[in-house]
Amino acid sequence: MTLYLRSRRAPAALAVAVAGWAAVWAAWPLLSSERDVEGPVVVLTVLLLVCAASATLGSPDVGLDRTAALRWPWRRLVHVLVASGVLVGLLALTLASGARFGPFGVVARDVAGLVGLAALGAAVLGGDRAWFLPLGWTLPVVAGAVPDAGRAEVGRVLTWQLQEGHDRASAVTAAVLALAGAAAYARLGPARRDDTGRAS
Amino acid sequence: MTRVWNRMGAVDLAPTTHPWTVEAAGLRVRAGRHLAVDGLDLRLGPGVHGLLGPNGAGKTTLMRALATVLRPAGGDLTLLGHDGRRGGDLRRVRRRLGYLPQAFGYYPRFTVREFVEYVAWLKELPSADVPQAVQRALDRVDLAPRAGYRMRTLSGGMLRRAGIAQAIVNDPDLLLLDEPTVGLDPEQRLDFRGLLREVGVDACVLVSTHLVEDVAAACTDVAVMEAGRLVWQGTPGELAAAGAAGDPGDTAIERGYSAVLRAHRGGSAR
Amino acid sequence: MRRVLVAELRRSAAPGAGVLVLAAGFLLGYGDGGAGSGGWMSLAVVQSFGLVLMWPVALAAGAWQARREHRTGVLELVATTGRPGLQRVLPVCLAMGTTVVGAYGALAVLTALLDGTGGYLPPGALVILALGAVWLAGGVWLGLALGRLLPSVVTPPALAVAGLGLLIGLQSLPVGARWVAMLASPAMPLAVQGVHDHDFLELSGRLDVAHGLLGVAVAVTAVVLLAAGSRRARAAALLPVLLGAGLAVGLAPRDGSPGVDGVVAGVGVDRVAQELVCTPDSPQVCVARVHADLLPTITAPARDVLRGLARLTPAPTRAEEDVTPHWVHAPGPGGRPDTVTFTVFSGNRGLGPDAVASRMAAQVGTGAWAGCSAPFAALDAADAWLRGHEPPAADPERPDVARVHQLWQVLRGLPDRVALQRVSAVRVAALGCAHDLDRVLAG
């Protein structure tokens, strides 16, 4: 188990995730008097954590992994679920503190959807580039590329990360992304991208 | 002899200013925390020198120190007449240096020609001379037909040859090759030996390898290392002569190698 | 070096970075539609808004490219070569910088072409565009430098998120600290809040210089950091940014401009844009210089309005644009009876000439005047009488519709000459900011 985690660079990813989470959590009270962290900041923090976690989706040698006798699909599924759980747990911890990342429904939805996107990214683009998808969708949305984010159905689907917790369209979108991403990653595993320049 | 290409491509033969290309005395080099080279004395002049030794003997660390990747922790090191320890003169040494590491890193997206041009530029070759020098290097390793292919499309042997090409592009006075024949097929190894002999006429070439037949065929001088020290130095013929029928090995030179190592180990155990 | 530069331009992350920056700017700029149709200043400002996404993308692209040396294991080989650090990083820096700034420039050109931007070109707009380019290049180089220091997979996305977070954070600073955002944010004009129409906007020279100084300092620091080999050299990289920041903070304007309420320091009014450009013949129609290309289309409808008001005494003989920017809360000039004023919001969000004319003509030619206007019932009644039709029976926006009708009946009851006198008097009184217009109308 520990070897698996180390092969996935989990400690480093976890360190980065925790550092980022701690930084935002500590900085928030300095910047605002509200107890609840503002929506876009929550989304950005979730994005950062998911990108850090997506570093664990790759594998140092994809070809070697494929020849192993292990039942990879289950392992990968569990990996994705555990990663999501760790992130949600980390953010849920703040609900008891002076800088609350919430509401819980929004955080859970955003983690699920973005982890799903990252898993999809790992399956299609490889572990190193898994973060392209969640970042590529969320960054323009938070920066305001979709005006009128709240009204039309299409707008709410496109900006699902920013919607309120009770919004159906965004919840459905997140669920679809989570399921599709987890399924693709479990089934296909990280894509084989041979762009190291090392010759042996 | 130092070979200098002038602008028109002719060869100027200038008298050398230093007797030995590489001169090491009591050299100590660290690899991480472990002292991999411990009190090594070595003198190399022009010619092809083979470097043999068991794994862990410190061969790669020595190569890296001679290539100025690592700075010595102690002892004296003189490369091409310059002090190998002070930082200032290393630039001039590096212009006349060629190195092929064991783990050869390259830019996969670059074409072969672009990569060799890049290394030539890094070695501060005058830009007017670069295209000619690159073409010549590619011709010498027989990669000219593949010059426009990307590095990542090359097979293992071709990649190795590309590595050799980047090492010789600046016509170095000191050429350091760490396991250069890995992945080359027998025919390519023969061509490589010919290249070594050609380069070794004016330059000092140090080849670290496990393939003893390559050493026997191409080298004018053999150095055997163990546990960070130089254990034996001489011609391949002398090495073969050092072995007797009872020593392990399938060829004469393998027997000589085993005999030399055993003598050193037996001597140090006493 | 030319060969190496060409190789880097083709084989590195430079082309991809350029495409991504272009896409990012496009996404943000076109969300609103027609960025360039409002004139050059509007184009420059909206392009700077795009930097909110372009700058983080540039950071991430730089960090991604910087991973190459680490990922491919080329460092061993490079350590045996002699080129000093600055020369070694120059091709990569130039390649990444060129494609990213080129994408930025191409976006501006594309926007100008697609939206037909033309007319008055304030030098301030070019300065804003140039400053954006400097900060963008600094962003890519900063990404390269930080990516080299921390070559992990997580660095590019972390930098992108941190960059966007920083920009959003600077945006949310309270008004007193807004000058920091004006100084330090790559998307500097974004910090100017409360301005929706950029036509008369001018940023002070001091702000431009301070902002540019800081941008250059960041860029230089990034390159020094990238080229540095030893720890001491890296520490030396802090010098340019500290120096630049110190100078910039010293130069940065902190007080608001007089007469410009609630808007951040460094913002001023472009006097040249405000200059009036008039038709040579009478009745004269004048627009601000920045809207000069709209003069041909607006002349005819404006003259129609003037004709419609010709019966009044004194009859207005010219139409003039009100050039006070909407974000300046100083009291405007008093209305002159011989002039009908109108406002022009240019660009796609602006009104067409007919809509401008109808606003101009409303309320007896005071409808578009931004002075002390109020929906006085008397003006509506007078306007209805002048046009010869009944005022609307019900209007959800006007609770005093009954009063309007009442006053209109009064006018209808008077002989034409007297009614005309009353209507003219109401107009003059409204332009003089009187409040008892009902009494004036009733006589």
Side-chain angles (χ1 to χ4, degrees):
Chain A
M1 179 63 167
T2 44
L3 283 182
Y4 177 73
L5 287 176
R6 278 174 61 194
S7 81
R8 296 292 177 257
R9 299 176 285 187
L14 189 64
V16 171
V18 170
W21 165 84
V24 183
W25 177 78
W28 178 257
L30 303 172
L31 301 171
S32 163
S33 51
E34 300 278 326
R35 231 191 122 184
D36 289 319
V37 178
E38 234 178 78
V41 179
V42 173
V43 175
L44 283 183
T45 313
V46 170
L47 179 64
L48 183 63
L49 296 183
V50 169
C51 287
S54 72
T56 63
L57 292 177
S59 159
D61 194 330
V62 176
L64 189 61
D65 282 349
R66 272 173 217 249
T67 65
L70 293 170
R71 291 219 303 264
W72 277 113
W74 287 115
R75 252 184 199 250
R76 290 195 278 252
L77 193 57
V78 168
H79 182 127
V80 168
L81 288 173
V82 168
S84 311
V86 166
L87 296 183
V88 171
L90 212 55
L91 291 165
L93 278 178
T94 65
L95 289 175
S97 75
R100 292 203 295 225
F101 285 79
F104 181 77
V106 168
V107 165
R109 174 196 69 196
D110 284 354
V111 167
L114 288 177
V115 167
L117 265 180
L120 192 62
V124 170
L125 303 168
D128 274 1
R129 293 165 216 251
W131 56 269
F132 279 22
L133 289 186
L135 194 87
W137 191 328
T138 312
L139 217 61
V141 162
V142 174
V146 183
D148 292 340
R151 285 185 279 169
E153 185 104 9
V154 175
R156 279 183 292 145
V157 166
L158 282 179
T159 61
W160 61 274
Q161 303 95 328
L162 292 175
Q163 298 299 328
E164 306 261 313
H166 53 76
D167 184 64
R168 254 198 63 200
S170 55
V172 168
T173 314
V176 165
L177 290 173
L179 288 172
Y185 180 67
R187 187 84 178 74
L188 300 171
R192 194 193 296 245
R193 281 297 280 245
D194 184 17
D195 50 19
T196 57
R198 226 175 274 273
S200 47
Chain B
M1 291 282 212
T2 314
R3 213 182 237 188
V4 174
W5 290 97
N6 69 14
R7 292 258 146 182
M8 298 206 296
V11 175
D12 281 9
L13 295 176
T16 49
T17 52
H18 43 267
W20 297 102
T21 315
V22 173
E23 213 174 329
L27 186 66
R28 290 198 304 281
V29 187
R30 279 187 203 284
R33 280 189 301 175
H34 164 61
L35 199 63
V37 176
D38 192 358
L40 182 108
D41 298 312
L42 186 64
R43 280 210 185 120
L44 301 174
V48 185
H49 309 271
L51 186 61
L52 292 176
N55 285 329
K59 300 199 298 293
T60 298
T61 311
L62 174 65
M63 299 285 268
R64 296 179 80 202
L66 295 182
T68 70
V69 175
L70 294 176
R71 286 224 235 116
D76 290 320
L77 179 62
T78 309
L79 298 167
L80 299 166
H82 299 285
D83 189 347
R85 290 175 311 164
R86 277 190 308 132
D89 273 321
L90 284 182
R91 197 171 164 183
R92 277 198 272 172
V93 173
R94 286 170 174 167
R95 279 189 205 135
R96 310 299 315 143
L97 198 64
Y99 178 46
L100 174 61
Q102 196 169 10
F104 169 49
Y106 55 91
Y107 294 146
R109 280 207 205 145
F110 274 44
T111 64
V112 179
R113 187 184 298 278
E114 281 168 357
F115 186 71
V116 180
E117 276 179 356
Y118 176 64
V119 177
W121 175 76
L122 280 179
K123 293 188 183 179
E124 303 188 271
L125 223 57
S127 52
D129 302 339
V130 166
Q132 196 183 11
V134 167
Q135 186 60 44
R136 187 160 171 268
L138 293 175
D139 285 332
R140 286 168 97 182
V141 298
D142 198 26
L143 264 188
R146 296 237 179 248
Y149 283 56
R150 300 216 193 184
M151 299 282 286
R152 64 173 170 214
T153 62
L154 298 182
S155 73
M158 286 191 265
L159 217 45
R160 216 73 199 154
R161 283 189 282 155
I164 297 166
Q166 64 81 21
I168 63 173
V169 68
N170 61 335
D171 245 340
D173 290 330
L174 175 57
L175 181 61
L176 301 159
L177 304 170
D178 201 343
E179 301 285 356
T181 56
V182 168
L184 296 186
D185 67 41
E187 193 181 344
Q188 289 167 344
R189 288 230 303 276
L190 289 175
D191 293 334
F192 175 67
R193 287 178 202 165
L195 176 64
L196 277 187
R197 284 187 217 110
E198 187 195 325
V199 173
V201 169
D202 292 305
C204 171
V205 183
L206 183 59
V207 180
S208 163
T209 178
H210 288 305
L211 297 167
V212 185
E213 321 86 65
D214 282 342
V215 167
C219 296
T220 56
D221 189 56
V222 180
V224 180
M225 247 183 104
E226 204 203 357
R229 284 165 191 254
L230 190 68
V231 159
W232 189 92
Q233 188 171 10
T235 67
E238 287 167 12
L239 185 61
D247 291 313
D250 298 317
T251 66
I253 199 159
E254 276 181 6
R255 284 189 283 268
Y257 170 72
S258 321
V260 159
L261 276 184
R262 189 186 296 175
H264 173 252
R265 285 170 189 161
S268 58
R270 241 185 271 133
Chain C
M1 198 189 79
R2 194 180 58 85
R3 262 174 296 268
V4 176
L5 180 59
V6 168
E8 290 285 15
L9 272 173
R10 290 163 74 188
R11 313 289 179 198
S12 67
V19 167
L20 280 177
V21 164
L22 186 63
F26 188 80
L27 267 179
L28 227 53
Y30 265 79
D32 254 344
S37 53
W40 288 106
M41 194 58 166
S42 181
L43 187 151
V45 170
V46 175
Q47 178 101 342
S48 311
F49 291 176
L51 280 174
V52 167
L53 196 55
M54 288 196 269
W55 194 73
V57 167
L59 277 179
W64 182 255
Q65 168 63 29
R67 276 200 75 223
R68 182 183 67 175
E69 323 309 322
H70 173 84
R71 199 165 38 92
T72 58
V74 154
L75 294 168
E76 172 97 354
L77 202 55
V78 170
T80 67
T81 61
R83 283 256 175 216
L86 188 58
Q87 293 183 34
R88 222 172 354 103
V89 300
L90 214 51
V92 164
C93 282
L94 281 179
M96 296 289 285
T98 315
T99 53
V100 161
V101 170
Y104 176 82
L107 187 66
V109 168
L110 222 72
T111 312
L113 286 176
L114 288 176
D115 289 337
T117 315
Y120 170 65
L121 176 57
L126 292 176
V127 168
I128 290 181
L129 284 173
L131 288 175
V134 165
W135 276 87
L136 198 58
V140 146
W141 294 336
L142 193 61
L144 275 171
L146 294 176
R148 197 188 87 144
L149 287 179
L150 311 158
S152 120
V153 196
V154 184
T155 311
L159 281 182
V161 171
L164 183 59
L166 179 68
L167 261 66
I168 291 181
L170 285 172
Q171 263 310 99
S172 325
L173 283 175
V175 180
R178 199 73 67 69
W179 65 270
V180 176
M182 291 290 272
L183 188 63
S185 171
M188 177 241 304
L190 198 60
V192 179
Q193 296 187 351
V195 175
H196 304 294
D197 185 22
H198 308 285
D199 289 340
F200 302 109
L201 185 66
E202 183 179 67
L203 298 173
S204 79
R206 273 179 62 186
L207 179 64
D208 287 338
V209 169
H211 190 243
L213 211 63
L214 189 58
V216 167
V218 168
V220 167
T221 300
V223 175
V224 170
L225 204 58
L226 193 54
S230 63
R231 204 163 287 181
R232 258 195 312 170
R234 283 190 198 139
L238 286 176
L239 271 174
V241 74
L242 287 176
L243 192 64
L247 283 174
V249 168
L251 263 180
R254 246 167 276 200
D255 314 309
S257 319
V260 179
D261 245 347
V263 183
V264 189
V267 171
V269 178
D270 186 356
R271 302 278 169 213
V272 176
Q274 282 185 323
E275 285 169 11
L276 289 175
V277 169
C278 301
T279 54
D281 52 343
S282 77
Q284 209 182 35
V285 180
C286 298
V287 294
R289 183 179 300 277
V290 66
H291 299 136
D293 48 341
L294 294 171
L295 189 57
T297 48
I298 223 147
T299 307
R303 285 180 174 165
D304 282 341
V305 172
L306 286 173
R307 261 195 295 280
L309 296 171
R311 287 191 289 155
L312 298 174
T313 45
T317 52
R318 54 196 293 270
E320 187 181 287
E321 179 184 347
D322 181 5
V323 296
T324 315
H326 74 92
W327 36 270
V328 172
H329 298 309
R336 299 201 326 255
D338 67 340
T339 306
V340 177
T341 51
F342 57 94
T343 45
V344 177
F345 294 108
S346 60
N348 275 0
R349 278 163 294 164
L351 309 164
D354 294 328
V356 173
S358 74
R359 282 190 71 196
M360 210 195 306
Q363 300 191 320
V364 203
T366 61
W369 178 57
C372 38
S373 61
F376 294 117
L379 280 171
D380 285 334
D383 190 63
W385 183 89
L386 199 60
R387 290 174 205 245
H389 61 62
E390 197 175 332
D395 190 345
E397 291 176 30
R398 293 294 303 280
D400 54 352
V401 162
R403 188 105 187 88
V404 175
H405 257 272
Q406 205 179 27
L407 293 168
W408 179 67
Q409 295 289 12
V410 168
L411 279 174
R412 271 221 330 190
L414 297 168
D416 271 4
R417 201 176 47 85
V418 180
L420 206 50
Q421 263 182 352
R422 299 275 175 86
V423 167
S424 309
V426 165
R427 179 165 180 267
V428 172
L431 288 174
C433 286
H435 287 273
D436 53 350
L437 296 182
D438 293 7
R439 198 181 55 79
V440 172
L441 189 142

